[in-house]
Amino acid sequence: MTTHEAFLSPTPRTTVIRGRQRARAERSALLDVLRSARLCHLGVIVENVPRVLPTVFGVDPDGPDRAGTLYLHGSVASRSLIEAPEQDICVTVTVVDGLVLARSAFHHSMNYRSAVVVGRPRRVEDEEERIRALDAIVDQVVPGRSSHLRAHTRKELAATSVLALPLYEASVKARAGGPVDDDSDIAAGGVWAGVVPIGESVGSAERADDVEPHLVEPDHVVALSRS
Amino acid sequence: MTTHEAFLSPTPRTTVIRGRQRARAERSALLDVLRSARLCHLGVIVENVPRVLPTVFGVDPDGPDRAGTLYLHGSVASRSLIEAPEQDICVTVTVVDGLVLARSAFHHSMNYRSAVVVGRPRRVEDEEERIRALDAIVDQVVPGRSSHLRAHTRKELAATSVLALPLYEASVKARAGGPVDDDSDIAAGGVWAGVVPIGESVGSAERADDVEPHLVEPDHVVALSRS
């Protein structure tokens, strides 16, 4: 088992400059943000333009890379994934917890947790690690799902690129709490201020038409609407 | 009033290569995605690394830029915003509508709508446009909020950068519907498959401690939990 730094080690490019009071250096805060999301936004430079794409991801806190591993996957034909290992990329995960309504437009804000991971990705070639990565990606979206599925086929594995990004070079920001208004605006009064909590709603599962009628919703599907 | 192309005009860099069947060229689909989100992810290159940051945004479909305008704002000291007007940037908006659980890991997917806007941003200098942009950003997060707030002060305006990005060079992708499984997996049976709808949940508004007790929640706050 790899041991990991308890604290992130920000380099200049992951040092939070704006809103430094919102930076959280603890590795546990990074893992908390990653655990709370089903989706990340991947930044890759393609022809000198930053391209930002939503994609799923998986996390192995004990993965082989420094400070653990974040996994991405995609088609072997995906241009972003083809070009990614030749450059430093950025993966950002954002969780919105609330809308912060202040007395002035200027002090409006959001309560959120976000993580930015930067680094040179490694193309995963080892088959066992590739399978673990693909299962981690499925389980990030639907915890517990991968163990209910048949094994990946050789053809599926051949069609899929897997990239690994170390969790080492990362920064975490978070905001919580109510609006912070100017004293003069509080004194003037007359404007409602506060926080509106935001979260994810999970609807009732809709079974596919061709699922056998006797199959009940498995626990990992039922659990989604309870989380 | 500016008239706008009814269809987006993708350049090679906004042409969807992977998953072409999911690309939607219509401008109305772009505006639909932008209307459905409170947050975007901004991609800027800083020291040769793509930096992806969550941020709020505003939209003026009739704005002065080609095909309409997307507005961003930030502190005048923000490095990403300082460097942005010197380069092409990317703004991505993603809305997740459901988790698609297939029989195989390979066919797992999400139902989603996403928009990618690419272009060279314009720094907004005109005071009236800056104010309209800042109000659009507040109203994107909390529709109807800006008209209840006092005017922006000179000091607030001086501390804020506003960037405008044309909606011209954009692509939209969307997926809807159930899992698309291999025939052999459907025939084998035994695995529950379907869609789990995902949306945003809005909790009960929590008023700030220092709001006058007689102030009731305004309609634009009540409306958030109904949307």
Side-chain angles (χ1 to χ4, degrees):
Chain A
M1 196 182 116
T2 332
T3 57
H4 291 308
E5 289 87 355
F7 294 88
L8 309 181
S9 300
T11 57
R13 60 191 185 178
T14 50
T15 301
V16 175
I17 298 169
R18 301 294 314 155
R20 201 175 297 183
Q21 75 284 6
R22 292 184 187 152
R24 303 193 163 195
E26 300 83 2
R27 184 161 185 269
S28 62
L30 172 64
L31 295 178
D32 165 72
V33 175
L34 298 179
R35 254 194 310 271
S36 307
R38 302 185 204 272
L39 196 80
C40 68
H41 281 80
L42 164 68
V44 184
I45 299 174
V46 178
E47 286 174 9
N48 299 318
V49 179
R51 188 178 287 204
V52 178
L53 299 170
T55 187
V56 288
F57 68 99
V59 176
D60 182 355
D62 299 314
D65 300 280
R66 191 169 179 188
T69 304
L70 185 149
Y71 289 109
L72 301 169
H73 82 320
S75 160
V76 289
S78 154
R79 186 155 180 202
S80 306
L81 291 198
I82 289 168
E83 307 210 356
E86 311 303 324
Q87 58 170 269
D88 287 338
I89 63 170
C90 179
V91 171
T92 298
V93 173
T94 307
V95 182
V96 175
D97 295 320
L99 313 179
V100 181
L101 279 64
R103 274 83 165 182
S104 62
F106 190 76
H107 286 298
H108 272 64
S109 189
M110 283 195 187
N111 286 336
Y112 67 94
R113 291 163 286 150
S114 71
V116 174
V117 184
V118 171
R120 183 69 53 107
R122 169 174 64 88
R123 192 175 292 287
V124 180
E125 307 283 4
D126 177 74
E127 182 162 305
E128 276 183 33
E129 188 184 1
R130 283 161 59 76
I131 290 169
R132 274 202 313 277
L134 295 174
D135 288 347
I137 291 170
V138 166
D139 289 337
Q140 179 79 28
V141 179
V142 184
R145 177 74 175 166
S146 70
S147 63
H148 293 259
L149 304 174
R150 64 159 170 75
H152 308 267
T153 66
R154 213 140 275 292
K155 193 176 158 193
E156 288 169 349
L157 289 171
T160 307
S161 282
V162 179
L163 297 183
L165 189 65
L167 290 177
Y168 178 65
E169 201 175 347
S171 63
V172 179
K173 283 181 79 176
R175 187 199 191 279
V180 178
D181 270 305
D182 292 340
D183 291 341
S184 54
D185 289 329
I186 297 173
V191 180
W192 190 95
V195 172
V196 178
I198 295 286
E200 184 190 68
S201 77
V202 179
S204 302
E206 301 158 359
R207 68 167 52 215
D209 294 339
D210 48 12
V211 167
E212 308 93 285
H214 71 271
L215 274 186
V216 295
E217 268 176 38
D219 288 348
H220 64 268
V221 174
V222 176
L224 284 171
S225 47
R226 284 209 216 99
S227 58
Chain B
M1 197 180 117
T2 331
T3 58
H4 292 307
E5 289 87 354
F7 294 88
L8 309 180
S9 300
T11 56
R13 60 190 186 180
T14 51
T15 301
V16 175
I17 299 169
R18 303 292 312 154
R20 202 174 299 183
Q21 76 284 8
R22 292 185 188 152
R24 303 193 164 193
E26 299 83 1
R27 184 161 184 272
S28 62
L30 172 64
L31 295 177
D32 165 70
V33 175
L34 298 180
R35 253 194 310 271
S36 306
R38 302 183 203 274
L39 197 78
C40 68
H41 281 79
L42 164 67
V44 184
I45 300 174
V46 178
E47 287 174 9
N48 300 316
V49 179
R51 189 178 287 205
V52 179
L53 298 170
T55 188
V56 288
F57 67 99
V59 176
D60 181 356
D62 299 313
D65 301 279
R66 191 169 179 189
T69 304
L70 185 150
Y71 290 109
L72 301 169
H73 82 320
S75 160
V76 288
S78 153
R79 186 155 179 203
S80 306
L81 291 198
I82 288 167
E83 307 210 355
E86 311 304 323
Q87 58 171 271
D88 287 339
I89 64 170
C90 179
V91 171
T92 297
V93 172
T94 307
V95 182
V96 175
D97 294 321
L99 313 179
V100 181
L101 280 63
R103 274 83 164 180
S104 63
F106 191 75
H107 286 298
H108 272 64
S109 189
M110 282 194 189
N111 286 337
Y112 67 94
R113 291 164 285 150
S114 71
V116 174
V117 184
V118 171
R120 183 69 51 109
R122 169 174 63 88
R123 191 176 294 285
V124 180
E125 307 283 2
D126 177 74
E127 183 163 306
E128 276 183 33
E129 188 185 1
R130 284 162 56 78
I131 291 169
R132 275 201 312 277
L134 295 173
D135 288 346
I137 291 170
V138 166
D139 288 337
Q140 178 79 28
V141 179
V142 184
R145 178 73 174 167
S146 71
S147 63
H148 293 259
L149 304 173
R150 64 159 169 76
H152 307 268
T153 66
R154 213 139 275 290
K155 194 176 158 191
E156 288 168 349
L157 288 170
T160 307
S161 282
V162 178
L163 297 183
L165 189 64
L167 290 177
Y168 177 65
E169 200 177 347
S171 62
V172 179
K173 283 181 80 176
R175 187 199 190 279
V180 178
D181 271 305
D182 292 341
D183 291 342
S184 55
D185 289 329
I186 297 173
V191 179
W192 190 95
V195 172
V196 178
I198 296 286
E200 183 190 69
S201 77
V202 179
S204 303
E206 301 158 359
R207 70 165 54 214
D209 295 338
D210 48 13
V211 167
E212 306 93 285
H214 71 270
L215 274 186
V216 296
E217 269 176 39
D219 288 348
H220 64 268
V221 174
V222 175
L224 284 171
S225 47
R226 285 208 216 97
S227 58

